Amino acid sequence: MAPYGDVTAAAEEYLRLFHAENPAAGPVEPRLREVRAEIGRTGTYTHTPGELVFGARAAWRNSGRCIGRLYWRSLRVRDRRHVRDPRQVAAECVEHLRDAAPGRRIRPTVTVFAPDRPGAPGPRIWNEQLIRYAGYEMDDGSVVGDPRYAGFTTMLRKLGWPGGPGTPFDVLPLAVSADPGPPLLAELPGDAVLEVPISHPVHPWFEELGLRWHAVPAISNMCLEIGGVCYRAAPFNGWYMGTEIGARNLADEDRYDLLPVVARRMGLEVGNDRSLWRDHALVELNVAVLHSFEKAGVTMTDHHTEARRFLIHLEREERAGRTCPADWSWIVPPISGSATPVFHRYYTDVRLSPAFAHHPDSLELGLGRAAPQGW
């Protein structure tokens, strides 16, 4: 928890922002007096429902690595600040996944659990995302599944998870804790995990690869920081941009590394870099992902459309007199970057508040590289 003075200063900064952008909330001074008094008594304060909703939306607006912020005002905020027990947190995460994808239409959603308070840390979700696939380390050094989560999978198995069927796409259980001890492990029910089988509009052999991917990218190890209050458990999702799956998750050498497999099935010369076999395979893999989500009726965007939308968002923010943080290396898509309009300009990369922030220990924990003290 931030020191008393820091909480007060952060609260005042946020409340002035909130009242400036929400005139219907009335003058800020009475609210500042309330909050100063509450901080004096307890060391922290409680956001009103309106302050929480705007804070979560502004945190998305301030997320410099996200290209899809045009719709930041549409973020649905599930206020679950009364929930602290790991079993209830896990149950609400399941409801989040169901609620975020009605009729396969993905809705930007955040669920906010109990915040950290002096002497009473809030709950935390160990997983990097609510849905991720296991990575099983084999005796020969290979990995079945997602290599990124091999360490996390090993850690969960040490904590008692028996493992799944052993396929490349076994869904990991949630690990949720509310104290320094070992976490609760909770399996995600099948109806909460919307998945899309990957096929191709031209190459029928794509289905033989047995590929699939989940539809709701719900990040769960970032802290929602609003005006000096830290919500360590606040899973949030938008919808996927095709390249996140087709050019990274399925294509990266340290992930599923499917480019050589796809290239060989296409009959490409993989031994000669000048044949650009990786480029050909990468395009077809991305075509397959976009085709599959469209065929399944699941919300997804492509990088060309989203690049144009981002520039609309940027223009709106500048017109409103606000700085729009953007990290060029994340905003530019990982495929055909120079063919998109976001490639050809520079951005201001600053950290603004409210924010979704990575804490170093959560990053390490989500990959199974560290464990909290006390277990």
Side-chain angles (χ1 to χ4, degrees):
M1 195 72 193
Y4 174 95
D6 291 347
V7 173
T8 302
E12 291 193 12
E13 179 183 3
Y14 172 64
L15 290 172
R16 292 189 186 280
L17 173 70
F18 172 73
H19 282 260
E21 295 197 31
N22 297 272
V28 69
E29 292 302 328
R31 178 59 176 149
L32 287 176
R33 287 194 292 270
E34 290 178 1
V35 167
R36 290 189 194 109
E38 186 177 355
I39 293 173
R41 294 192 309 269
T42 68
T44 187
Y45 68 105
T46 302
H47 290 122
T48 66
E51 290 165 1
L52 179 72
V53 169
F54 175 77
R57 290 172 176 171
W60 185 17
R61 182 178 80 188
N62 291 336
S63 298
R65 292 182 170 184
C66 178
I67 194 174
R69 286 173 274 165
L70 177 60
Y71 305 106
W72 66 273
R73 294 181 187 276
S74 70
L75 179 67
R76 301 171 62 258
V77 181
R78 303 175 73 243
D79 186 351
R80 300 297 185 270
R81 286 177 288 173
H82 62 284
V83 175
R84 182 179 296 272
D85 178 77
R87 287 178 177 78
Q88 291 179 290
V89 171
E92 285 293 344
C93 287
V94 170
E95 288 306 309
H96 175 121
L97 291 171
R98 290 171 175 152
D99 197 41
R104 303 192 162 210
R105 176 176 171 267
I106 311 301
R107 304 186 294 188
T109 303
V110 61
T111 299
V112 184
F113 294 106
D116 286 351
R117 300 184 67 86
R124 65 187 301 179
I125 300 165
W126 293 23
N127 309 63
E128 188 179 40
Q129 292 195 24
L130 294 184
I131 304 173
R132 276 308 198 203
Y133 297 117
Y136 302 107
E137 295 181 286
M138 301 290 103
D139 292 339
D140 62 0
S142 63
V143 174
V144 173
D146 194 339
R148 179 177 176 84
Y149 300 103
F152 190 69
T153 300
T154 298
M155 182 175 69
L156 293 184
R157 299 197 73 171
K158 289 179 179 178
L159 289 168
W161 183 53
T167 76
F169 299 98
D170 289 356
V171 176
L172 289 164
L174 295 179
V176 184
S177 62
D179 55 53
L184 166 79
L185 300 187
E187 297 276 3
L188 291 173
D191 71 301
V193 182
L194 175 59
E195 292 181 293
V196 175
I198 306 300
S199 60
H200 193 280
V202 176
H203 302 302
W205 49 261
F206 241 93
E207 294 185 41
E208 298 172 11
L209 301 179
L211 307 178
R212 62 179 184 268
W213 205 260
H214 61 91
V216 181
I219 298 172
S220 51
N221 70 338
M222 296 184 78
C223 176
L224 173 58
E225 297 176 351
I226 305 175
V229 177
C230 178
Y231 300 94
R232 289 294 288 261
F236 66 96
N237 72 273
W239 49 73
Y240 268 119
M241 186 167 72
T243 54
E244 295 177 86
I245 302 171
R248 300 302 310 276
N249 298 336
L250 295 178
D252 282 357
E253 289 185 356
D254 60 350
R255 299 295 297 283
Y256 281 82
D257 193 23
L258 286 171
L259 295 186
V261 175
V262 172
R264 290 190 182 96
R265 294 298 294 264
M266 292 174 63
L268 302 177
E269 185 182 355
V270 298
N272 180 6
D273 287 343
R274 293 175 66 88
S275 72
L276 301 183
W277 63 268
R278 292 182 184 85
D279 307 72
H280 287 287
L282 188 61
V283 168
E284 294 307 322
L285 187 52
N286 279 268
V287 167
V289 169
L290 289 168
H291 163 77
S292 300
F293 272 68
E294 183 175 12
K295 180 180 177 182
V298 175
T299 306
M300 170 174 277
T301 187
D302 65 88
H303 51 292
H304 295 287
T305 299
E306 211 57 43
R308 291 193 297 271
R309 288 174 178 170
F310 178 74
L311 292 186
I312 294 172
H313 168 70
L314 184 65
E315 180 183 350
R316 289 181 180 177
E317 291 299 293
E318 291 174 345
R319 201 182 315 134
R322 292 191 291 261
T323 298
C324 179
D327 182 337
W328 189 95
S329 65
W330 281 71
I331 296 300
V332 175
I335 179 175
S336 306
S338 64
T340 65
V342 293
F343 178 89
H344 303 279
R345 58 166 296 160
Y346 294 102
Y347 304 95
T348 302
D349 187 14
V350 294
R351 189 185 188 281
L352 301 179
S353 182
F356 285 103
H358 269 127
H359 289 198
D361 64 324
S362 293
L363 280 171
E364 294 298 299
L365 182 61
L367 297 177
R369 296 172 181 164
Q373 293 182 351
W375 74 277

